[in-house]
Amino acid sequence: MKRRWWDVRQLLVSGYLQAQAEFHQLSEDEVSPDGLPLNQDRFLIRRGRLRADRFFQYAHVGIEIDVNTVRGPFVSLRRAEASFFYPNRVSYRPPYAMITVGLSEIPFGFEMRQGHRQRLFMERTTGSLAFFRGEPDVGVRLSGAAGPFRYAFALQNGVPLDDRPGAVSVPFLASKTTVGRVGFETDPGKAWEIRGGVSMLAGRGFHEGSPETKTELDWRDLNQDGNVSLNELVAIPAQAATPSTTFGRWAVNADLGAGWRTRSGWTKLYGELTVASNLDRSLFVADPISTGFDLRELSWHVAAVQEIMTYGLLGFRVDGYDGNWDAFGARRGLFLPADLQIVTLSPVVGATLPGRARLVLQYDHVLDSLGRDARGEPVGLPNNVWTLRAQMEF
Amino acid sequence: MMSTVLVMMAVCGCSPGFDSGAGEPFRVRQGTFFPGAFPEDDQVDEPKVTNASTAGAIVTEGQSSVPLTGLTTTDAWSVALALEGVGSGYWTLPVLAPDVTEGGQLTFVTDLEFTRDVPFGFQKVLVSALDEAGLPGPRFEVSLCVLPETTGTSLWPCAPDIRPQHTVISLAWDTDVDLDLIVTAPNGKVVRAKTPSTPVSETGPIPNPVIADPTTGLLSRDSNGGCVLDRIRRESLVFQDAPPPGEYTLFASLNATCGQSHVVFRASHYTRRELADGRWAVDEVEIARGQLLPVHADGGATLGTRIGTVTIP
């Protein structure tokens, strides 16, 4: 007989460690103009997670911390949530209803809800990372299950936790973000599975105003002689402060996945599609106040994962992200449509001791138009990546 | 397995080797860097750079934001730029909108950056136009005079028949700290950022004629003063003509570390020498080299660390 997951009444402690080596084609032993290292070839602790959970009959409290060396040694809070729930009559299904408060997952799509411990691929897709720099956000969430149907709705700050050291702090708005997903999934224990759902997000972004400035005197060395002449001095009048503004952002998402078990092991296919507006907060950061128009974004991915006789793993993922459908660029005095789409092909091979350890090698072949050839025309940037990761868990 | 990985990486072109040009001594802002020889073809007439110019012809070592503008024939798609004999490649820059006042010729504009690794003296910025197929046209040359920071306004590095300064006592360092050169002159004057000249005045401000006297030593600047970083990292006491004889004592005063863990400094003494053909050369003598740590930072409360003396006969 299966144990009901809330029957475990004692404190549960779990965790995992991901140590990896990365080789980036773009790496070079230099620093950017703002002092950041351009070399990304390195060994690092990508994630070291320690999690503690305590279950009660109608409640749960959990906390998770992360240590990593992505930008030097760093410790941060990854999850801190308290839940109250009404149990499901079917033991292996989630509760009929559960209210969760605190720092918890954003119920949007598939990738955002998939744990880093379970994901075979190294990171979320480019589009998902552009939309959500981190997985958790602070707020309140209502979730649950009824038969095969699943639902989750949340009211959150709309500022996903960015645990990167030195990350720019984003102001919280009075207006909160509404996000939710409804879907379905088959019960565990069968030789096949299917799941899917649709998600939505609506919230507001922030365009930061500027403080007022003082009157200044500026020297422009017009004749490049290194000496100050009177006609090279320019008075810059004081500038009035500009007000901050908010703007709307939204996204809709559909995800679908299926799997079946054969003698070789599980075969799983899944994918999702996200259409969004002004949601990019990380890559081509969307600010319609600056651009003067709303930015439309599209993110998609399709993936396949194959288990091979318990101990082997094969996977392949294709993901695409376009941070601005309406991008234009100037070339030879003409405004021409610009292609910002980034497509990444990610084959992966690995070996695993189920529930204990995993060794995975992934190659990311990136197809984009972010480089320039000698004529100034857009070409692919040589930014492919190799990653070798060892994961241990308990 | 590791050998397999390395072979796969080599096949896929993922081995190290990408060069953004960030380490090049000559850089073109918003340009794309390509290793290799500068593209040019003197056998064709077009595409052609019809004009390219900077606002002035003088650049100081380490100077950035040197504007360059120009025109090309209408069949150009981009321009290639390089500093002749400097660096390991060239930069390309897409051409911009046509200039209707110049018969529709296409324009280009950028800012040039000259790092401290660019040799002093006359340098040529090479510019050529590339057509739709990426084929180059003939070169266009823009001449610039690159001056070391120690020469001030003297054009001697580009014109050796011009007489350089007689004496320069210079302190240079390697990290962005607020380091000050302090010199005690034979007359007892402590020359530093707040008192940046060698004469002593007992009756108030130093008269302008005394400041203009070529035997007066003037401090060039307060580099990184108050941790407002100019990144020049050099201060010099400059005498246009022979300084008053005597012993000049040098100090390196670490005013503030500006968050740095250490600084390595080097002090030098430059003197001019007339050659037999009437031209001039500059001789450099190293006075001291050393390191200072945060414990040495005193906010200017003392003269700092004594690093040597220069005796003027």
Side-chain angles (χ1 to χ4, degrees):
Chain A
M1 178 180 173
K2 291 186 176 124
R3 299 173 68 191
R4 302 197 309 180
W5 63 273
W6 59 86
D7 283 343
V8 184
R9 303 283 169 77
Q10 73 274 27
L11 186 69
L12 297 180
V13 177
S14 60
Y16 62 94
L17 176 72
Q18 294 175 340
Q20 65 192 45
E22 298 179 357
F23 304 94
H24 293 250
Q25 199 175 3
L26 269 182
S27 285
E28 55 182 323
D29 291 328
E30 256 300 341
V31 292
S32 67
D34 49 3
L36 295 176
L38 296 181
N39 173 52
Q40 300 175 74
D41 293 349
R42 56 177 175 166
F43 297 100
L44 78 156
I45 303 300
R46 181 63 187 86
R47 294 180 186 88
R49 298 285 175 87
L50 184 63
R51 176 171 180 162
D53 292 277
R54 178 75 164 92
F55 291 94
F56 303 93
Q57 188 171 3
Y58 296 103
H60 159 256
V61 61
I63 190 165
E64 182 176 4
I65 59 171
D66 176 63
V67 296
N68 66 68
T69 63
V70 175
R71 292 186 187 175
F74 191 67
V75 180
S76 69
L77 186 64
R78 290 297 301 183
R79 185 184 297 262
E81 59 186 18
S83 304
F84 304 91
F85 56 83
Y86 183 70
N88 199 312
R89 199 175 299 165
V90 183
S91 60
Y92 43 78
R93 287 181 185 156
Y96 287 121
M98 181 163 70
I99 290 279
T100 302
V101 295
L103 179 66
S104 61
E105 73 175 25
I106 301 170
F108 186 85
F110 172 68
E111 280 196 297
M112 290 297 294
R113 299 177 302 113
Q114 188 184 31
H116 289 292
R117 181 203 292 250
Q118 287 80 29
R119 182 184 301 117
L120 175 61
F121 300 96
M122 299 295 167
E123 303 297 334
R124 285 184 284 123
T125 55
T126 307
S128 182
L129 287 169
F131 293 152
F132 305 96
R133 189 60 249 178
E135 291 84 14
D137 195 1
V138 184
V140 55
R141 188 181 73 224
L142 171 66
S143 61
F149 300 104
R150 304 287 183 267
Y151 68 91
F153 300 98
L155 192 64
Q156 298 178 320
N157 280 333
V159 183
L161 181 74
D162 188 347
D163 65 345
R164 295 171 300 172
V168 178
S169 134
V170 180
F172 297 103
L173 301 182
S175 170
K176 301 306 174 193
T177 293
T178 307
V179 59
R181 178 182 184 271
V182 291
F184 64 92
E185 64 183 49
T186 52
D187 291 331
K190 298 177 181 174
W192 59 275
E193 64 179 28
I194 185 167
R195 52 164 183 72
V198 293
S199 308
M200 54 73 63
L201 179 149
R204 297 198 72 77
F206 186 67
H207 171 83
E208 190 171 345
S210 58
E212 69 171 337
T213 64
K214 294 182 177 177
T215 303
E216 292 180 357
L217 196 61
D218 188 34
W219 171 51
R220 298 174 189 176
D221 192 8
L222 297 175
N223 58 4
Q224 296 282 308
D225 66 350
N227 294 318
V228 178
S229 306
L230 273 180
N231 65 333
E232 295 174 337
L233 296 178
V234 179
I236 301 177
Q239 300 291 305
T242 59
S244 297
T245 319
T246 64
F247 56 86
R249 57 170 45 131
W250 57 262
V252 292
N253 167 285
D255 66 272
L256 185 64
W260 57 92
R261 189 170 56 202
T262 62
R263 282 190 298 179
S264 173
W266 277 94
T267 302
K268 295 188 177 181
L269 297 174
Y270 58 90
E272 66 182 311
L273 174 74
T274 305
V275 178
S277 177
N278 302 330
L279 188 59
D280 192 327
R281 294 173 275 201
S282 178
L283 188 56
F284 306 111
V285 177
D287 186 345
I289 307 300
S290 298
T291 58
F293 59 88
D294 291 324
L295 285 91
R296 299 187 295 168
E297 298 127 352
L298 175 69
S299 172
W300 57 270
H301 81 267
V302 178
V305 175
Q306 175 67 56
E307 293 179 357
I308 301 175
M309 311 309 287
T310 306
Y311 302 110
L313 291 167
L314 279 178
F316 186 75
R317 185 177 72 185
V318 184
D319 76 85
Y321 176 61
D322 191 336
N324 183 4
W325 292 1
D326 308 306
F328 274 76
R331 295 203 294 279
R332 306 181 79 237
L334 302 175
F335 276 98
L336 301 173
D339 182 9
L340 295 185
Q341 179 158 246
I342 300 172
V343 174
T344 307
L345 312 176
S346 304
V348 60
V349 58
T352 180
L353 289 172
R356 284 288 173 266
R358 183 193 287 173
L359 183 66
V360 180
L361 176 66
Q362 177 173 319
Y363 172 61
D364 293 312
H365 187 76
V366 183
L367 305 170
D368 59 32
S369 304
L370 302 179
R372 290 287 180 273
D373 67 10
R375 301 168 304 153
E377 291 296 288
V379 293
L381 199 64
N383 52 358
N384 303 326
V385 182
W386 284 96
T387 310
L388 180 64
R389 172 182 291 175
Q391 174 173 317
M392 293 288 292
E393 52 192 78
F394 62 94
Chain B
M1 183 174 178
M2 186 53 74
S3 60
T4 305
V5 171
L6 292 175
V7 169
M8 291 169 66
M9 290 171 63
V11 169
C12 293
C14 302
S15 55
F18 175 77
D19 189 352
S20 67
E24 286 292 302
F26 170 73
R27 297 193 287 257
V28 174
R29 197 169 294 173
Q30 296 186 333
T32 305
F33 179 74
F34 294 90
F38 176 73
E40 58 177 325
D41 187 351
D42 294 334
Q43 305 302 313
V44 298
D45 293 331
E46 291 185 346
K48 183 179 177 183
V49 175
T50 57
N51 183 41
S53 62
T54 58
I58 300 168
V59 172
T60 308
E61 67 168 317
Q63 186 172 344
S64 67
S65 300
V66 177
L68 175 83
T69 58
L71 294 167
T72 70
T73 50
T74 55
D75 52 352
W77 282 57
S78 64
V79 290
L81 300 105
L83 200 60
E84 187 175 45
V86 176
S88 61
Y90 61 95
W91 299 80
T92 66
L93 193 71
V95 293
L96 303 174
D99 184 344
V100 293
T101 65
E102 294 288 347
Q105 293 187 85
L106 300 173
T107 57
F108 62 91
V109 58
T110 187
D111 284 335
L112 308 178
E113 297 181 358
F114 299 80
T115 71
R116 294 170 195 279
D117 295 327
V118 173
F120 306 138
F122 264 120
Q123 300 289 348
K124 289 179 183 173
V125 178
L126 309 180
V127 194
S128 68
L130 305 179
D131 65 14
E132 184 176 5
L135 299 175
R139 73 158 67 173
F140 188 97
E141 296 180 355
V142 179
S143 294
L144 291 170
C145 175
V146 180
L147 299 177
E149 203 276 331
T150 50
T151 62
T153 56
S154 171
L155 296 177
W156 165 80
C158 299
D161 51 343
I162 294 178
R163 193 170 62 172
Q165 293 96 337
H166 184 282
T167 297
V168 175
I169 297 169
S170 187
L171 177 70
W173 60 96
D174 69 334
T175 56
D176 281 324
V177 301
D178 180 6
L179 186 65
D180 288 334
L181 169 66
I182 297 178
V183 179
T184 57
N187 61 6
K189 175 78 176 282
V190 178
V191 183
R192 60 198 311 172
K194 293 174 183 171
T195 49
S197 61
T198 52
V200 175
S201 173
E202 297 173 352
T203 58
I206 301 168
N208 283 336
V210 176
I211 294 296
D213 188 315
T215 64
T216 293
L218 300 175
L219 199 60
S220 61
R221 60 169 43 83
D222 181 11
S223 181
N224 291 347
C227 291
V228 178
L229 302 181
D230 57 25
R231 296 203 160 91
I232 291 175
R233 302 173 192 160
R234 181 186 285 274
E235 294 179 6
S236 303
L237 181 61
V238 180
F239 296 88
Q240 296 295 334
D241 219 333
E247 195 170 81
Y248 294 77
T249 306
L250 279 60
F251 299 84
S253 173
L254 184 57
N255 195 45
T257 62
C258 309
Q260 302 292 325
S261 62
H262 71 285
V263 58
V264 175
F265 66 83
R266 180 171 180 265
S268 300
H269 174 207
Y270 302 88
T271 50
R272 73 182 179 209
R273 174 167 52 88
E274 187 169 11
L275 303 175
D277 59 1
R279 306 171 88 181
W280 295 86
V282 172
D283 297 323
E284 178 184 0
V285 176
E286 181 174 297
I287 301 170
R289 189 186 288 258
Q291 186 179 56
L292 296 175
L293 303 173
V295 69
H296 296 111
D298 61 5
T302 69
L303 292 180
T305 303
R306 185 178 185 278
I307 55 176
T309 57
V310 172
T311 303
I312 304 295

